[in-house]
Amino acid sequence: MIIKEILETEKSFLSDMLVLQDVYVVPSAQSNIFSPQDHKLLFGNLDKIIQVSTDLYALMESAAKDQMMGQVFLDMLQPIEKNYCDYCKHNEACLTRLSEFCSTNGPQHIKDFLNQSRQQLQGRTGAWDLGSLIVKPVQRVLKYPLLLKTLLKETPQEHSDYTNINRALDAMEDVAETINKVKKRKDIVDKYVEGKSSLNVMHGISKKWNRGAQRLKRNIGLADEEPEDLLYEEYAQRFDVFFNALQSLNKDMLQWIKCLKTQFECEDIFSGSLLQTFIIEKPPLSYQDTVSLLHQYKSACTRLITGPWKTAESQMKDKIVPGLETCVSMFKVPQLLMKKRESKLLDYERVKEMRLKNEQIDKALLDSADQFESINEQLTEDLPKFLGLVSEYVHCYLLQAVEIQTNLYNNVWQGLALLLESLHINPNSTTDEITTQYLRQMQTGSPAELHCRSAQLLQRWHQQTWIDQDFQPWNGNARQSNADTLRTSRSNSQSLIDASGGKMAPRPITGGDVEIKLRSAVLHDQILQPIRLYEMPKVDPSYAVQPFTVVAMYDFQAELADEMSFKEHQEVQVIFIGGREGCEPDAWWYGRSNNQQGWFPASYTQ
């Protein structure tokens, strides 16, 4: 009799699940009645429940003839436990959401769908609405232990299936207990995530006081050490590492956009400055090809800012960055639970101590300790799943970011392809190879360097940019060549130092009818550095001295190609004292230090 009941009730349950699928699940998915999130919440893994019930019923029919029902449940134990646990843990949230849909303020199109679907249930099932159908899997899995218990009572102990029935009963009772525990765990987690815990001010104050006391006892060694949960600690550590890496990735994406813009802007400025250098005055016909290439280069650099970079910036800011920020925000709920776990851990430890001392434990404290176990188990189960899903999520965005970068570099290449071809640059060359080739071609004495020096473009640019056309070279008296005498005559150049005794600004000099003016110019020291135009200045020999060493009192930064930079306390070997065109006789000296040479203000040294 009981075997017949087990078969009939399983068949009826399977029929109800198929009705649920035909009347609600499939039509709502086809017409997009519910959002994807709500559809998943309402119907969960119903397809897996139907499959398990189908397989179980088929085995029951075969076993019923030989009355070997216990073995059937043992064979189906794992699929039943896994799929019914997954379904049941969301059932409370599912029913809550369904009641919201059916309320007065619920969406009208959903209420219309539910009403129309309810009419199709008549004659097909004993259920009266969607709510009574979606709760049936929970009722069914909790009924299996009752059916097996009855079957065990009606089965003689000498029956060959008696032992299997007994084992199946124990196993299904464990499944029922696990499902209840999972549901309880889920309810506790939802309470903290959704902020539904009741507020009791006095209880909250007392709880904080007791937790503070427990934390103090642990710190000074009066309480047992924190119990080790190696599995949770491993997941928590991976969680923190992943979270920090994700935040860094988001910042790196924004920094990449910023650096890219800076690179293209610098490239545009460089190309413009290079072009200006060649068109300071009308270039000779022999330079027309070079000037044409520079115009192409300048146009290409300008297009990079307005074209490929703008596209890449828009795609990064519209797609990648918001997606990664959303991903970062997904960590808030686990972080909240992990923080709650840490606070509940103190209550859990306190309860353990009180039990060892046989002290009375109030219900609130005992519930809090139980909540620690629920939260800990939930985190241990969900953290690896969460990290796996987030990894897939981030991987998708990284693929999109790589595609954006690839498209950008391809567009840059296409924009420069014709120019590189004109310059006979191998498109497969690496950055290091191109840089090495450039430095080799621009070293002192190379054809390119000699060509630039003979063109004298930079000298004419320097003359036109810094000095008035009516300027005449300074015709001061020749300096004495005695170095000691010159070092003691620094008072003549102290006007070059400002009132605070700090740095000076020696170049704009006003004296008599002579005035040197700083005109608008863009200086690119790093660009011009390989081209050494001033091997040795043309200076009246009377300014030459027996080389001697001075020490810098301040930092000096060169602004012209014939000047030399140095740092405070750096030693400089002096070659000429004075003689620089356009300057007072003893204001600027010429020397060398650290493989460089050039003019420097005498007042900066001692």
Side-chain angles (χ1 to χ4, degrees):
M1 180 65 70
I2 184 60
I3 291 179
K4 181 179 179 181
E5 180 183 351
I6 292 174
L7 276 170
E8 290 178 351
T9 53
E10 190 64 35
K11 182 178 180 180
S12 175
F13 167 73
L14 178 57
S15 175
D16 288 341
M17 293 301 97
L18 292 173
V19 169
L20 173 59
Q21 186 178 53
D22 293 341
V23 175
Y24 288 98
V25 179
V26 175
S28 65
Q30 292 175 344
S31 55
N32 295 321
I33 296 296
F34 304 106
S35 68
Q37 294 82 0
D38 287 332
H39 194 277
K40 179 67 175 177
L41 177 63
L42 289 174
F43 305 116
N45 61 334
L46 179 66
D47 55 335
K48 300 290 181 61
I49 297 296
I50 292 176
Q51 185 60 54
V52 170
S53 181
T54 301
D55 295 342
L56 181 61
Y57 182 71
L59 292 175
M60 285 179 174
E61 280 191 312
S62 299
K65 303 173 184 177
D66 301 326
Q67 295 185 341
M68 298 294 291
M69 198 65 68
Q71 187 61 47
V72 171
F73 280 94
L74 290 176
D75 293 341
M76 291 295 296
L77 181 61
Q78 289 186 352
I80 290 174
E81 181 176 10
K82 181 182 184 305
N83 292 289
Y84 277 91
C85 279
D86 288 343
Y87 184 93
C88 294
K89 66 182 179 182
H90 298 292
N91 195 249
E92 291 295 330
C94 166
L95 294 175
T96 301
R97 187 61 172 155
L98 183 58
S99 65
E100 293 173 357
F101 287 144
C102 297
S103 66
T104 306
N105 298 326
Q108 189 59 46
H109 73 283
I110 292 181
K111 290 192 287 187
D112 291 342
F113 170 78
L114 295 176
N115 289 331
Q116 294 171 5
S117 300
R118 184 170 59 246
Q119 297 175 7
Q120 300 179 36
L121 298 179
Q122 297 179 2
R124 301 183 62 180
T125 176
W128 57 90
D129 60 6
L130 177 57
S132 60
L133 280 172
I134 58 179
V135 78
K136 281 184 175 291
V138 181
Q139 297 170 342
R140 182 61 184 171
V141 72
L142 296 179
K143 192 173 182 180
Y144 286 143
L146 300 177
L147 294 172
L148 288 170
K149 186 177 292 186
T150 303
L151 178 60
L152 185 64
K153 289 181 179 179
E154 297 184 5
T155 303
Q157 292 188 7
E158 62 272 11
H159 192 281
S160 58
D161 195 39
Y162 183 86
T163 301
N164 288 336
I165 296 174
N166 199 12
R167 289 173 55 205
L169 173 59
D170 292 340
M172 292 308 300
E173 285 180 342
D174 290 342
V175 170
E177 183 179 349
T178 300
I179 289 175
N180 286 327
K181 185 184 294 185
V182 167
K183 288 180 61 180
K184 178 183 177 182
R185 224 166 59 193
K186 190 71 171 57
D187 292 342
I188 290 173
V189 169
D190 288 344
K191 179 182 71 173
Y192 289 113
V193 171
E194 300 173 13
K196 295 180 179 179
S197 56
S198 59
L199 181 63
N200 185 317
V201 177
M202 292 307 299
H203 174 67
I205 294 175
S206 175
K207 184 166 61 176
K208 287 186 177 181
W209 171 265
N210 290 328
R211 285 175 179 170
Q214 183 66 25
R215 187 178 290 109
L216 178 61
K217 289 167 65 178
R218 184 204 293 171
N219 291 339
I220 63 178
L222 295 179
D224 293 336
E225 293 185 1
E226 178 181 342
E228 282 191 284
D229 188 338
L230 299 180
L231 189 58
Y232 170 79
E233 294 299 332
E234 178 186 350
Y235 293 150
Q237 184 177 7
R238 287 171 52 192
F239 180 91
D240 291 338
V241 170
F242 202 117
F243 179 68
N244 293 331
L246 186 58
Q247 286 184 310
S248 298
L249 175 62
N250 197 31
K251 293 178 182 178
D252 289 343
M253 290 295 181
L254 293 172
Q255 187 65 21
W256 180 76
I257 297 173
K258 182 179 178 181
C259 290
L260 198 64
K261 180 181 179 183
T262 301
Q263 175 188 340
F264 287 151
E265 287 177 343
C266 289
E267 192 82 8
D268 189 50
I269 293 173
F270 169 73
S271 62
S273 300
L274 194 59
L275 180 61
Q276 290 172 10
T277 302
F278 277 81
I279 61 174
I280 292 172
E281 59 184 40
K282 185 177 180 181
L285 293 177
S286 59
Y287 284 91
Q288 291 303 317
D289 291 342
T290 301
V291 173
S292 177
L293 286 174
L294 291 174
H295 275 293
Q296 294 180 42
Y297 179 41
K298 178 67 174 73
S299 299
C301 291
T302 302
R303 286 195 298 270
L304 291 180
I305 298 179
T306 57
W309 176 79
K310 279 290 184 183
T311 302
E313 179 195 36
S314 176
Q315 292 175 337
M316 279 289 185
K317 289 186 174 180
D318 293 345
K319 296 180 180 179
I320 307 302
V321 173
L324 293 178
E325 289 176 348
T326 299
C327 194
V328 170
S329 67
M330 293 165 59
F331 281 73
K332 290 181 179 179
V333 170
Q335 286 172 333
L336 173 65
L337 290 177
M338 293 168 77
K339 184 177 180 181
K340 184 60 66 175
R341 175 193 179 276
E342 296 306 312
S343 62
K344 296 291 183 184
L345 174 60
L346 298 173
D347 295 338
Y348 177 78
E349 293 174 350
R350 186 159 171 253
V351 167
K352 285 180 62 177
E353 290 182 7
M354 295 175 70
R355 282 174 173 166
L356 291 174
K357 298 176 182 179
N358 293 323
E359 296 179 359
Q360 184 176 359
I361 306 173
D362 64 81
K363 185 177 183 303
L365 181 61
L366 188 60
D367 289 343
S368 182
D370 291 340
Q371 289 171 6
F372 164 78
E373 293 182 329
S374 297
I375 295 174
N376 186 66
E377 291 174 1
Q378 189 71 40
L379 285 171
T380 303
E381 178 182 330
D382 288 347
L383 280 180
K385 297 178 182 178
F386 172 80
L387 293 176
L389 292 174
V390 171
S391 297
E392 295 179 6
Y393 188 88
V394 173
H395 181 69
C396 292
Y397 277 100
L398 284 177
L399 290 178
Q400 293 185 47
V402 170
E403 183 179 357
I404 292 172
Q405 292 179 329
T406 302
N407 291 337
L408 168 70
Y409 295 134
N410 286 338
N411 290 332
V412 170
W413 161 247
Q414 292 174 5
L416 297 175
L418 293 177
L419 181 62
L420 295 177
E421 183 179 352
S422 301
L423 295 173
H424 306 292
I425 295 178
N426 183 358
N428 298 320
S429 298
T430 65
T431 302
D432 290 339
E433 291 172 344
I434 294 174
T435 302
T436 301
Q437 181 184 6
Y438 168 77
L439 294 176
R440 184 174 61 251
Q441 292 178 347
M442 296 306 296
Q443 58 184 308
T444 303
S446 67
E449 191 268 344
L450 293 175
H451 184 68
C452 289
R453 189 191 306 174
S454 64
Q456 295 186 342
L457 290 174
L458 294 180
Q459 288 94 322
R460 288 199 295 273
W461 168 77
H462 168 250
Q463 185 77 7
Q464 293 183 6
T465 303
W466 291 84
I467 306 176
D468 280 346
Q469 293 179 358
D470 59 352
F471 170 73
Q472 297 297 326
W474 182 276
N475 292 319
N477 297 325
R479 293 290 298 158
Q480 300 177 14
S481 62
N482 189 301
D484 293 333
T485 303
L486 288 169
R487 282 198 294 271
T488 60
S489 63
R490 290 294 181 82
S491 58
N492 296 330
S493 61
Q494 289 303 308
S495 60
L496 298 176
I497 304 180
D498 62 21
S500 64
K503 309 297 185 296
M504 56 105 180
R507 291 177 189 76
I509 302 174
T510 302
D513 297 327
V514 180
E515 182 179 1
I516 298 178
K517 299 177 181 178
L518 175 64
R519 298 175 182 172
S520 61
V522 179
L523 301 178
H524 298 281
D525 294 336
Q526 293 182 349
I527 298 170
L528 301 178
Q529 186 175 0
I531 307 176
R532 299 178 60 191
L533 298 175
Y534 298 92
E535 291 294 330
M536 192 63 72
K538 296 179 180 180
V539 182
D540 190 313
S542 62
Y543 290 99
V545 295
Q546 184 68 29
F548 63 94
T549 301
V550 294
V551 179
M553 296 187 295
Y554 317 104
D555 292 349
F556 173 68
Q557 179 61 48
E559 295 183 3
L560 297 178
D562 63 343
E563 295 176 358
M564 177 180 68
S565 300
F566 51 68
K567 298 291 185 180
E568 184 181 358
H569 305 308
Q570 183 174 329
E571 292 185 350
V572 180
Q573 186 180 48
V574 180
I575 302 173
F576 296 105
I577 40 180
R580 187 180 188 185
E581 285 190 338
C583 300
E584 294 183 4
D586 58 353
W588 289 82
W589 290 1
Y590 193 91
R592 62 169 62 95
S593 179
N594 293 344
N595 298 321
Q596 61 172 333
Q597 61 186 42
W599 294 101
F600 62 91
S603 57
Y604 270 44
T605 62
Q606 64 178 357

